[in-house]
Amino acid sequence: MPSRRPSCLALLSLSVALPAFAASPAVWGEGLMVKVRPQSAVRSATEVRLTGARNEFVSFQVALHGGDSGLQGVRARLPALEGPATLKGPDVTLYREALVTTKQASVAGEPVGRWPDGLVPDTDEVAGEQRTAFPFDVPAGEARAVWVDVHVPKDAPPGDYTGTVTVEAAGGFQRQVTARLTVVDATLPSTSSLPSAFLLWPPHVCRAHTGREDCTPKELQPLLARYQRMALEHRFTLSSLFPRKPWPPAWSDFDATWGPYLDGTAPTRLPGARMTSLEYVGPLDAENLKDFTAHMKAKGWLDRAYVQLGDEPPYGTSFAQVHATGALVREAAPGLRTLLTTNSHEMGNHDLEGLVDAVVPLVNHLDGTEGTFRGDQRDTYTDFLKRPGTQLWMYQSCMSHGCAYGTNAPENKPGAGWPSYMLDRSAAKARAMEWVTFLEGATGELYYQSVGMLSTAWSDQYRFNGNGDGTLFYPGTPAAIGGTTDVPVASLRLKLIRQGMQDYEWLKAVSDAGDPGFARKVARELIPAASRVTDDGAAFDAARLRLIQRYQELTASEASPDAGTPPDPTDAGTPPEEVAEGPSQEAPTPKPGVDPETVDAGTPTGGCTTGGGGSAAVAGGLLFAAWALKGARRKRCVRAP
């Protein structure tokens, strides 16, 4: 049963953070929707406020500026957040944001130079080893940032938690940023409600971590399992990371390695998290297809398994090949789901409807700007989706920026453009894909590659005319990050993708709670069209807060008749101009009739936006909405002592 005790939201405070003359080194709190670049201006927020559900990640940044003298030997620590319980250890992770230098912009008009992306952990989240996040230097006249992840355990009591990030440097320098987290009486599911299939080519991992391309499965599988664990903790699935040789694999070895990730028994920080897809990567012949399908069925994994019939016909695969493969699968493995990256027009023109179970159009073709794809194309899939077992997924590609130099999509104008996982695009672009997926009624997301340039990720990720195209991880070798165990390192973009996945849960929750029209309205006002994604991070946070407020209205058994007096944003003893807006994130417990592994979510998503992407009007609206909701439910607020 869902919680019927409406919980108060942490106050989102307006930060009037005016640039200041950087004479002395400075430290301030920043939200996750701002990319802190070396030229970022000094700000004044000394506090961040966050709201999260149980089993949810909330994130913020601590930014530093070197001033005229620079900072040497910087270290940061956040021992715990104290409240009704203590949040610490693996649930609190600090990272140093590494910079990648771009030589050519992904989109015309974006600055070329150094961008934050690789997140070097203090203690890594997979092997639990101390790494080389600290110490680091901040040059004079430049800015750097520390990323902070907080996972709220599933059993964390609701209430207010407080922690202090202490930053120290040589010469006795010390500054502090306070993090205030409100945990609401709700729980986010461990397995995403939005299935995903992010592809991974194992030889890229072998090369990046060993310098070779001939890793044996015994060498490679433990490393690949670490990548899968990190993916699940960012709420998506690596669907194709299985070694191809030998094939078929020894099924007992396959089950021992991958069974825990498919069954939800792997040691992830999201307890019970399961893979939502699994790709057949063996030879396309009847015997192997039949064998694979039989094993998947016996293990209870067949509903998540699929085989690709081809790639973007007629470019990657001919339509004749798609027909031949589809006919083979239907005959040899009739229970195995088929998937194809194409669109409704091509599917109809080439008589593919009966061979495809999951059609995956490009976002540019589902809500496009040109030719037959102009405008929302969702209705062109209606007849296809009437057949039982069919699904509509989506994907983005280099078409979000232009696949060849000089072909930048004209829609990518300042403040607009397509969803994008490029490292030199705004945080909002990386968070937007799941909002568009919801708007189009799609039920899954595909991404073509996640380790395409893993070997050179720390220095160069330029591919298909984009910085970061097909590369979402960094190789965490001991030479790169210290320690003794090779692990994957998350990109800043992975955190934003995770945020988008959590946003999807809120949208779904409001819909499931009885007001799908409101969820669509909020999403459409945020993203008028897939090609018009704002760069305003605060707008995402404001939209999320509206969803949370509506969800709590829909699920509240009662509310206080008196909204009370608007709270003073200085009630924590911090001047309003020094309070950073915090990520508002909440989710409810499952409702009757809803699978417990699908979320009944219920509050805004993470994303402090104290600058570089928000407006005073939006922030003021957040403040008012937070006050109104807080007042209406203040009798049920749980406060830390």
Side-chain angles (χ1 to χ4, degrees), residues 58-84:
V58 294
S59 303
F60 64 97
Q61 298 175 87
V62 176
L64 308 92
H65 197 283
D68 291 341
S69 60
L71 289 167
Q72 290 76 45
V74 174
R75 294 181 181 275
R77 65 181 187 275
L78 173 59
L81 282 85
E82 299 286 355

Side-chain angles (χ1 to χ4, degrees), residues 93-225:
T93 308
L94 274 63
Y95 307 82
R96 168 174 54 86
E97 297 183 16
L99 301 173
V100 176
T101 301
T102 64
K103 299 179 178 65
Q104 188 166 290
S106 299
V107 168
E110 293 287 6
V112 172
R114 293 172 294 172
W115 289 81
D117 194 56
L119 299 178
V120 179
D122 181 19
T123 299
D124 80 81
E125 58 269 71
V126 175
E129 294 180 5
Q130 191 74 32
R131 303 293 180 166
T132 58
F134 311 120
F136 66 91
D137 297 339
V138 181
E142 293 190 2
R144 297 290 188 272
V146 173
W147 185 278
V148 183
D149 262 359
V150 178
H151 171 248
V152 182
K154 255 189 171 179
D155 59 355
D160 292 348
Y161 295 73
T162 302
T164 300
V165 181
T166 300
V167 177
E168 297 176 324
F173 179 88
Q174 185 180 95
R175 298 289 188 276
Q176 293 183 328
V177 171
T178 300
R180 300 188 186 277
L181 166 65
T182 296
V183 175
V184 299
D185 190 9
T187 303
L188 208 65
S190 291
T191 301
S192 176
S193 300
L194 180 67
S196 58
F198 282 52
L199 308 188
L200 179 148
W201 179 238
H204 290 326
V205 175
C206 175
R207 184 185 311 116
H209 285 271
T210 71
R212 309 180 350 246
E213 297 188 8
D214 59 349
C215 296
T216 65
K218 186 177 181 180
E219 290 177 294
L220 197 53
Q221 284 197 151
L223 184 56
L224 294 174

Side-chain angles (χ1 to χ4, degrees), residues 15 118 127 194 244 279 284 295 303 318 342 401 410 446 448 463 539:
S15 175
L194 180 67
R244 273 63 168 171
E279 182 177 353
L284 289 172
H295 188 75
D303 61 332
S318 70
T342 190
H401 51 265
L446 175 78
Y448 84 102
R463 190 181 198 216

Side-chain angles (χ1 to χ4, degrees), residues 6-7 9 12 51 56 184 186 188 431-432 434-436 438-439 499-527 538-556 584-588 591 599-606 621-622 625-626 629 633:
S7 304
L9 297 175
L12 297 176
T51 302
E56 183 173 17
V184 299
L188 208 65
R431 186 176 169 179
E434 292 72 33
W435 289 79
V436 177
F438 175 84
L439 281 169
Q499 196 59 56
M501 290 289 185
Q502 294 181 162
D503 291 344
Y504 181 89
E505 303 291 1
W506 312 145
L507 290 161
K508 181 178 183 299
V510 172
S511 299
D512 291 349
D515 201 346
F518 183 84
R520 276 195 64 83
K521 178 177 183 289
V522 170
R524 185 56 76 193
E525 288 175 356
L526 177 67
I527 302 177
F540 277 80
D541 290 333
R544 183 161 180 129
L545 183 60
R546 292 177 64 196
L547 293 171
I548 280 55
Q549 184 174 358
R550 181 58 182 150
Y551 179 81
Q552 293 199 340
E553 291 170 353
L554 291 167
T555 58
S584 309
Q585 301 170 267
E586 306 169 34
K591 293 170 42 180
V599 68
D600 249 323
T603 38
T605 176
L622 285 172
L629 184 57
R633 309 188 188 285

